Amino acid sequence: DLAMYTAKRSGRSRYQLYTPELDAGTRDARLRQAITDGELVLHYQPAVGLQTGEIRGVEALVRWQHPEEGLLMPGAFIALAEETGAVVPLGEWVLREGCRQVAAWQQGVAGADRITLSVNLSPQQVKQADLVDVVTGILAETGFPATRLILEITESVVLEPDELTIARLGALRDKGIRLAVDDFGTGYSALSYLQQLPVSILKIDRSYIRGIDDDERDERIAEAIVRLGLAFDLVVVAEGIETAEQARLLAEMGCTVGQGYHFHRPTPPEQTVQVLGATALKL
Ligand code: C2E
Ligand code: MG
Ligand code: MG
Ligand code: MG
């Protein structure tokens, strides 16, 4: 099916589940327990200005430190959480913990006072009537500045924005929070849909980045997406940059921000803070 095709094409194993021998209800209960028991952890991946090389911000990526199964990646549990709704309390935990952590870095690490925090919002979260209250409550509680928060939404949200969703996202934007469309190009949306939403950042999916350093057609497609994004006045972020040549080509295309193993891998907070400190000292 198309979703499966898209997942394969972008090289992900979204359909892998943890403890597949357990039924969905049991796995859901176990995940909800993990959230309240403190078994979730965040890793952080810096994003880099492609024209200047400075760290602009970090993206929070959730992991589950499972006592028996080890460190589980989101591909092993987010899809189920999305189905059962557990992704709502999970996402709230991620936002609170990310804001708490990055606020501490902004205050404690020289030169890191202006970094942004990007958090992935699931479609279920965007549908919650109290989304705006939850987000503003967490900002107040943690002291994290709204203007430094970026919420990443997926194309499925962009594609079918009902009036209430548009209003909710508009209210977030009015608070100074920025919205990014994640994994752009993997769904069915066109840039015209983006005009209906208060989106200011476009993240090009890594499946469009992978081939640009050895396939001229891939390079032309990536360049077309970068140009379109810039023409719509969006900040354009390239995901999954793994080589220096990919970084060079994207900078040449005018792409604003880069993220990927070539620059920084996602790491636990103790390592991320060292990267932030080292980079700030260099500036
Ligand atoms: P995403 O938001 O598009 O995050 C980027 C993913 O690409 C991350 O995988 C990251 O580790 C990986 N990545 C970064 N640079 C490179 C690279 O150069 N090469 C390759 N091959 N991969 C790279 P991760 O951490 O496994 O997360 C996968 C997806 O799970 C995320 O995709 C996001 O959709 C979802 N996710 C992660 N954390 C959360 C969360 O807190 N809430 C929700 N709702 N979804 C989350
Ligand atoms: Mg993301
Ligand atoms: Mg992405
Ligand atoms: Mg992606």
Side-chain angles (χ1 to χ4, degrees):
D1 89 324
L2 271 173
M4 185 71 91
Y5 168 78
T6 305
K8 273 190 188 142
R9 187 168 160 280
S10 49
R12 275 165 226 160
S13 47
R14 284 198 173 153
Y15 299 88
Q16 147 216 10
L17 296 167
Y18 70 101
T19 50
E21 71 277 8
L22 300 179
D23 64 75
T26 307
R27 283 189 283 120
D28 176 55
R30 185 66 191 79
L31 174 58
R32 289 177 189 269
Q33 190 68 46
I35 302 166
T36 54
D37 286 358
E39 290 178 7
L40 299 185
V41 295
L42 292 183
H43 287 190
Y44 297 88
Q45 184 179 38
V48 170
L50 283 174
Q51 312 299 330
T52 55
E54 92 285 7
I55 291 179
R56 312 229 326 185
V58 295
E59 178 174 1
L61 295 159
V62 71
R63 279 92 180 87
W64 178 358
Q65 190 63 65
H66 194 287
E68 288 97 39
E69 300 187 46
L71 190 70
L72 297 177
M73 302 299 275
F77 56 90
I78 285 285
L80 174 80
E82 182 68 32
E83 267 172 51
T84 65
V87 77
V88 173
L90 181 150
E92 208 175 309
W93 179 85
V94 169
L95 185 64
R96 180 173 291 110
E97 173 57 18
C99 286
R100 186 201 63 73
Q101 177 64 85
V102 178
W105 288 338
Q106 286 172 337
Q107 281 158 28
V109 181
D113 51 312
R114 293 175 57 191
I115 60 167
T116 59
L117 166 66
S118 295
V119 172
N120 294 284
L121 269 200
S122 88
Q124 286 290 346
Q125 284 178 279
V126 178
K127 281 186 211 149
Q128 301 298 306
D130 63 354
L131 173 71
V132 180
D133 292 342
V134 167
V135 173
T136 51
I138 289 173
L139 292 176
E141 189 186 310
T142 58
F144 192 81
T147 54
R148 295 283 155 233
L149 181 63
I150 296 167
L151 296 176
E152 299 191 356
I153 57 178
T154 57
E155 283 187 307
S156 59
V157 174
V158 177
L159 190 59
E160 301 153 8
D162 56 274
E163 266 174 48
L164 286 171
T165 299
I166 295 173
R168 241 172 257 136
L169 297 177
L172 292 171
R173 156 91 140 227
D174 291 344
K175 310 251 178 236
I177 296 164
R178 277 167 285 174
L179 294 174
V181 173
D182 205 354
D183 303 333
F184 183 79
T186 56
Y188 310 93
S189 71
L191 279 171
S192 58
Y193 288 106
L194 298 185
Q195 288 186 297
Q196 299 180 44
L197 291 174
V199 166
S200 54
I201 300 163
L202 191 71
K203 296 190 78 171
I204 306 175
D205 190 71
R206 71 165 179 269
S207 58
Y208 291 94
I209 306 304
R210 197 183 295 137
I212 61 170
D213 49 0
D214 54 37
D215 185 317
E216 230 174 84
R217 199 152 52 141
D218 284 359
E219 187 186 340
R220 284 202 297 270
I221 292 169
E223 183 163 21
I225 301 176
V226 170
R227 290 236 176 107
L228 274 168
L230 295 175
F232 278 74
D233 275 330
L234 300 168
V235 166
V236 181
V237 181
E239 296 190 309
I241 300 177
E242 294 187 350
T243 71
E245 180 65 2
Q246 289 167 352
R248 191 188 66 74
L249 288 167
L250 286 157
E252 210 172 80
M253 294 172 194
C255 188
T256 330
V257 176
Q259 220 179 329
Y261 297 166
H262 167 66
F263 298 110
H264 303 282
R265 285 176 181 263
T267 53
E270 312 80 62
Q271 276 162 265
T272 313
V273 71
Q274 286 176 13
V275 173
L276 292 176
T279 310
L281 286 176
K282 257 190 275 163
L283 290 173

